[in-house]
Structures are given as C-alpha cells and as structure tokens.
Amino acid sequence: MHSSTGGPAEGDDPFDAGAGSILRQPRAVWATAGASVVAFMGIGLVDPILPSIAKGLNATASQVSLLFTSYFLITAFAMLVTGFVSSRIGGRKTLLLGLAFVVVFAGLAGTSGSVAQLVGFRAGWGLGNALFVSTALAVIVGAAAGGSAAAILLYESALGLGMACGPLLGALLGNASWRYPFFGTAFLMAVGFLCITAFLKEQPKPARKTSLLDPVKALGHGGLASAAVSAFFYNYTFFTVLAFTPFVLNMTPYKSGAVFFAWGVLLALFSVVVAPRMQARFGSLKVLGGSLVLLAADVVVLGYGDHTTAVVCTILSGAFIGVNNTVYTELALGVSDAPRPVASAGYNFVRWFAAAAAPFFAPKIAEWTDIYVPFVVAGATAVAGAVVVAVRRRALDHEAEELQPRHATEDSVTVFAN
C-alpha cells in the first residue's frame, strides 16, 4: 500500500517500498549517486593513513588530526551557506561548484609539503563536500523514477557504500604513498563532475530563498536546540573513535582500512535496517538513550583493552553510531515546525563543531595525560548526550511518539549529508 504522495503508507516497510524500481533510474540519478559515494568516502578516507601522513611529514598525532578539525570546522560554518547558495543558483550549479572545490583541493592536498598546507587544503575540501552532499539528496529525489522511496534508498545506499569504502580506498592507495588517496579522490570527483555536467539538467529553484540566519533562528525552538546539544556531545564521541583510534591501533594501512571498512558496514546496516525496527518496538528516546550508554561503555573498553579488544570495540562502535545517527536525525527534523532543510542546517551547525573539536582535543589530552584518558572523556560525552535526552524528554517526547519508522531513511540521509 502507498500513500497518495507516492511514498510508503504508514505501516509499510520502508525498505520494500520502491525496491522494484530502485535500479531503473535515469543517468542523471546514477551520476549524482556515484559522485555521492565518492563524497562520503572523503570523510573516512584519511583514517588508515593518518600514521603514514604523520611519518611522511614529520608531524605529531595532534597535528595530523587537524585534517579532521579543519574539514569539519568549515563544514559547520558551511551549513549557514549551502541553503543560501542552492536556493539562488539552483541544485545543479551547487553540485558542480562543490565538486570543483573537491577536485581542486583534494588534488592540492596530495602535493602538500607540510601539515599546515595539508590542513588548509583539507578545509577547502570540506567546503566543497558540504556544498555537494547537502544538495545531492534533493537533486536525486527530483530526478529519480519510481517515487521518492526508490530515490532515498539509492541515496542511502550511496552513503553507506561511501562510509564503508572510504577507509578501504585510503588503505589500498595509501599503502604505496599517503599522497595517492588524495589524488585518487580528485580523479574520481572529476569524473563525477563530467558525468553530472553531461547528464543532469537544472533542477527547479526553491520558491523561497533561504537566508544565512534562518538555521540559527530555527535553534530558538527548545526541542531542536535540545537535539542539537545532545548530538554535539555524541559527535565528540563519534569522532574520537574515527580520528584518534587509528593512532591507538597503530596498524598498517591495509589492516586499519579493513577495521574501518567493517566499522562502516555495521554503521550502514544499523542505520538503515536495524534502527527503524528498534524504534518501532521500543520507542525512539529509549533506543537513543540505551545506544548512547552502550557506546560510552564500548569506547571506555576500547581505550583500556588490549589490542584485540580495541579492534573489536572499534568495529562494534559502528553499530551504535549507526543507530544514533538515524534517531538523532528524526528528532532533529521532526521536533520543530521549521522547514526540514533549515532545521537540518541549524542542527548540523551545532553538532559539526564537536566533530571539529574531538580530533584536536583527543590527541592533546593523550599528550597531557595518557592514551586511555581520551576514551574516558569520549565515554563521558556520550553519557552527557544521554543525560540531555533524559532531562529534555518533555521537549523531545511529542516528536518521538509521533515518528514513524518510514521517516528514518529519508531523514537520516538528509541530516547526515547536511
């Protein structure tokens, strides 16, 4: 059964709706989805080669971790810009502008002679990636055949494939030289640029132009602010795992890439398949609170366990992160009456600051104390996120009760991409 809008009706399984048509898409959709895979690869691409970069540029762990800090700091501020830009020049031009930034700055990153240069080029890459991924879902939905359900499934698949394969690509190319993953990304994004230029027609512009301050104004809503603050603490934990764990594991690029590939597979699986079913059975806030507490325990054990335990806990964290991403997204997009793109931008403006902070502070804390303490801090921030959810339950509860599992896929890709 389907609703009049073409999406799945309440009670339908969102993963069945549109399944038959997901592969029958115009070339414009495949071009955008393919570029999306590469864009999401860029998030975890440097994970397996962080130790190699540090060695190649004679840098410390805290210096190399600035690759994440600069990337996500720019991404946070870009949340105020992407809607402003796309509502004025259109989706196609925004995609191409973002891709052009990534091609240029990823290529320049591969030529870096110092950590400072690499960090600066990575920041430019972050701006391009933000422009691209914040627009790609809307473009795919607008151009796809078979309704929005098929388009969303395709985009979600691109997200999961990119998150899982980024570390793997980084390992395969980085085993020869830490510079090759950057050149490889630039090449793949250049191919994406050409495909979108050839196959994607301009999409209709929004009826209303977005201002730079709309996302900030949306945070005046108590429920959205609560979701954003809780997600801020959670994201500190998330990116401590992503950016600092490679130094703790101290593995070859191949082995580290395999670990984070498995991590990415669990993240995608639990985000798309497991989380909606858990929400339907237990409720969104219970699932989120429990997952945050389990993630806190997992990262503490990761820090204090032996090498094998650290590997297992790193992979396992992907499951909790996948669940959290989906539930946070639903809460953020549904708890206020702001338009979804505006609410998404405001929510991400807050939470990406933690993604920028964690890679900087985790190695610094290790230098000041010992290698275990950053994971204790990460465990504490995950618990803090759960406490915010518990204390602000009243502000979040109305939305949590009304959320339908069918929203999970659409909203999770929207917020994660933004």
Side-chain angles (χ1 to χ4, degrees), residues 348-367:
N348 281 287
F349 175 67
V350 174
R351 74 174 184 126
W352 284 129
F353 279 109
F360 175 78
F361 284 110
K364 286 292 186 183
I365 293 171
E367 292 173 8

Side-chain angles (χ1 to χ4, degrees), residues 282-322:
F282 301 108
S284 294
L285 297 187
K286 289 182 180 179
V287 170
L288 180 59
S291 182
L292 286 168
V293 171
L294 290 173
L295 177 62
D298 180 78
V299 296
V300 171
V301 174
L302 190 164
Y304 281 92
D306 58 20
H307 186 268
T308 301
T309 301
V311 169
V312 172
C313 288
T314 298
I315 295 172
L316 183 61
S317 70
F320 305 126
I321 288 169

